[in-house]
Every structure is written in structure tokens, then in C-alpha cells.
Amino acid sequence: MNRRSLLLSAVLLFVLAACSPEKELLPATGSFSQAEPAPLPEDRFLTIAHRGASAYRPEHTLPAYILADEMGADYIELDLRMTKDGRLAVIHDQELQRITGGSGKVSDMSMDELKKVSAGVAFNEENPELAQASYEQLTIPELRDVLMRFGTSVNYYIELKDPPEGAGMEQAVISELEQYGITESSGQRQLPPVILQSFNKESLMRLHEMRPDIPLIQLYSFKENADLSSEELEQLRGYASGIGIPADSAHAGFIEKVKGRELDVHVFTVNEEQDIRRLIAIGADGVFTDRPDVSRRISLE
Ligand code: G3P
Ligand code: CA
């Protein structure tokens, strides 16, 4: 190769490098997975049983999840909170008051202490027409109780509530799912066996590092019309498969914009038939609902 050819080759290499996408020029940091987020099913409207079939039975209890499964829910939804002794309690509220009538915080109690309070008394008092004496004996489950009861017979949509920094909640959730074989893919399944969700972005990014094959949903609590910038959507695509937004914030333009970036949109919490129909019409991919029977019936029409 003569001097002229050498010079031309060097110029060509420089131009090619300068034109490459920025991310390909960046070194791998080792702090964030480069793996694409896991895909969610296309063309299927998901019925996500919010805290189980919680319109009919005490939320987050095994009877509520059994009924959701019988009603044909695609997913049973669980909220998880870490107890004082690092176990994973299936409960929405930080405080015990609303569900149990007792006082105190979940994070200040051990799982054994939590299991001593009733998860059904308050439901019976608020829903006399649905009350059953047996509900008084119900207790707050922990994640492993639900996984042991259902195994791989249902799909799980699990929220990490207020994951404490440095407490290892993400690893604890993944370990339990793996222990019960929930994350193992099977050719028989039409849907991912587990979806994880949180309002906490850093927690989701840690989960993506650990198991990029599990679809993640970034939750938002928009008070008015939902909106995200192009930059925010691009960042989401680095770790999430979709987003979860409140029903009142959902509108057609936003859903079109998000889906245009290949992110799914799930909407909470939607119990009325006309609202579910509106969301289907504007392109939502699923709803969290206390009434999975209603959503399932509509989605099968
Ligand atoms: O997880 C989606 C939806 O359930 C968020 O609302 O407050 O019921 O957990 P929340
Ligand atoms: Ca939730």
C-alpha cells in the first residue's frame, strides 16, 4: 500500500467512526444492562386483576387471587412491601389501618407479627353484602405464600412498593421467583409469566440489570393529562417494556406517542365497563381492574 492509499484509509476510518451512533462509541460501563427490554404480547388486551378480584373479596388475599384466576384474569397483581425482617409482605398500604383496623407500619413489623392480624375484618365491615365469616381468619400473605399456592398456573404482575435503597428488595423478589420456578420460560405460555412494576426508576433499572428477560413497567402518577418528553421515552426504552398510568390521565395522543416508541401502556384502576371500552378504543394495552370478570368479558368480544 502506497502513502496515498494509507492516507485515504485513515481518512475513511475517521469518517466511519464519526458517523457511528453515539452509543456504539461509548464503552460499556458495566453499570447498566445493554440488553433490550423483554417484549410484551402484541395485539392482546391484558386484564390485570388489581390486588386480585378485589371488588368481590378482601384485597391481596388468596381468595381474591383464586377468584381472579377463575374469572380468567391474564395476571394477578400483587403489591409488595418489605417487613422489618426483610420479608416480602403482599400489602398495598404503608400503614396497617385501612386493611386491618390496627395501627403501625409494615416496615416496623416482622412478617410473623403481620401474620397475626386479620386481612378480612375491614372488608366485611365495609361490604356487608359480600361479607363472609371466614374472611375474618384471613391473614396478610407473603410473596412465597402466593407463589406456593399458584406456582406456574397463573401469571404474576408484581409491584415493588417504596423499595428501600440498599435493602436488597429487588434481589429478594428475583430470588423467590426463581426459587419457585416462576421466571422459567415455557413454550406453552402465551404471556410472560411475570411482569414487574414500580414507581421507582432506580429499582427498575436494578431489576433490568439482574433479569433483562423480565418485562418491566414504569409507573407514573400523572394528576392531569399524561405526558412524557421524547428524551424521557428514549430513556425508558433502555430498561422498561411499558408504562402504567392513571385512568384519568390517559388520552389518545399520549398513548399513540408512547406506542410509537414500542412501549406498552397499562392503565389503573379501571372498573367501569364504559371506561374499559374507552381505553381499548384509544389503544391501551391493558387495565388494572378490581373487576377482572368485566374486563375479560369485554376483551373477548
Ligand atoms: O400498580 C398499578 C396500580 O396498582 C398502582 O396503583 O396504588 O393501586 O398500587 P396502586
Ligand atoms: Ca399496585
Side-chain angles (χ1 to χ4, degrees):
M1 194 179 281
N2 60 29
R3 266 174 68 96
R4 188 159 176 270
S5 302
L6 270 173
L7 186 62
L8 273 174
S9 301
V11 169
L12 188 61
L13 277 173
F14 176 80
V15 170
L16 281 174
C19 292
S20 297
E22 185 182 14
K23 69 177 179 186
E24 289 177 17
L25 291 176
L26 291 173
T29 61
S31 62
F32 185 67
S33 172
Q34 301 292 308
E36 292 273 316
L40 287 167
E42 290 179 14
D43 302 327
R44 173 147 175 167
F45 186 80
L46 296 181
T47 293
I48 305 152
H50 182 245
R51 314 179 193 178
S54 57
Y56 312 111
R57 293 185 177 174
E59 69 181 56
H60 284 133
T61 63
L62 293 180
Y65 290 127
I66 290 167
L67 184 59
D69 184 32
E70 289 170 357
M71 288 176 165
D74 295 307
Y75 284 88
I76 59 170
E77 196 241 4
L78 293 76
D79 295 315
L80 296 184
R81 289 190 174 276
M82 250 186 156
T83 61
K84 186 173 70 175
D85 52 346
R87 284 162 71 179
L88 299 166
V90 185
I91 185 168
H92 176 275
D93 296 8
Q94 189 178 25
E95 306 272 346
L96 291 178
Q97 176 65 39
R98 181 179 63 89
I99 293 299
T100 70
S103 61
K105 287 184 174 179
V106 173
S107 57
D108 291 337
M109 300 177 74
S110 69
M111 194 68 227
D112 289 344
E113 287 171 329
L114 270 184
K115 285 189 174 183
K116 291 190 178 113
V117 296
S118 169
V121 170
F123 177 89
N124 278 354
E125 287 172 3
E126 287 164 21
N127 302 276
E129 73 287 2
L130 297 170
Q132 292 191 33
S134 61
Y135 292 165
E136 292 178 19
Q137 312 309 318
L138 292 174
T139 55
I140 296 166
E142 60 182 315
L143 176 60
R144 68 184 62 160
D145 296 329
V146 183
L147 300 182
M148 268 192 276
R149 169 62 180 77
F150 293 99
T152 55
S153 69
V154 301
N155 301 312
Y156 301 88
Y157 201 126
I158 299 174
E159 179 177 354
L160 283 71
K161 284 277 185 206
D162 301 328
E165 186 71 36
M169 186 174 186
E170 297 82 13
Q171 187 59 61
V173 172
I174 296 292
S175 296
E176 294 226 343
L177 291 171
E178 288 175 347
Q179 185 181 341
Y180 289 93
I182 308 302
T183 56
E184 284 166 30
S185 60
S186 154
Q188 308 298 315
R189 290 181 185 277
Q190 293 181 309
L191 298 171
V194 61
I195 297 174
L196 299 174
Q197 46 162 342
S198 185
F199 287 97
N200 187 304
K201 176 177 144 187
E202 285 70 32
S203 180
L204 290 178
M205 291 172 95
R206 286 192 285 274
L207 288 165
H208 184 62
E209 269 298 303
M210 293 171 193
R211 289 293 302 246
D213 56 322
I214 298 178
L216 304 178
I217 297 292
Q218 176 72 63
L219 299 173
Y220 292 94
S221 54
F222 298 117
K223 298 284 182 252
E224 297 173 345
N225 277 356
D227 196 19
L228 289 170
S229 68
S230 297
E231 291 73 26
E232 287 168 318
L233 289 171
E234 196 50 41
Q235 192 179 41
L236 271 168
R237 279 164 45 84
Y239 64 94
S241 304
I243 63 172
I245 62 170
D248 289 347
S249 74
H251 58 99
F254 177 71
I255 291 179
E256 188 181 358
K257 181 178 176 182
V258 175
K259 294 184 70 171
R261 306 300 281 262
E262 296 179 356
L263 291 158
D264 280 25
V265 182
H266 298 159
V267 183
F268 58 86
T269 302
V270 193
N271 294 326
E272 298 304 322
E273 182 163 339
Q274 68 270 22
D275 295 331
I276 296 170
R277 291 188 185 282
R278 176 183 84 87
L279 290 162
I280 291 174
I282 64 175
D285 298 291
V287 286
F288 298 82
T289 179
D290 303 335
R291 301 169 70 200
D293 51 336
V294 176
S295 173
R296 189 73 182 134
R297 171 170 51 77
I298 295 170
S299 70
L300 289 175
E301 284 176 357

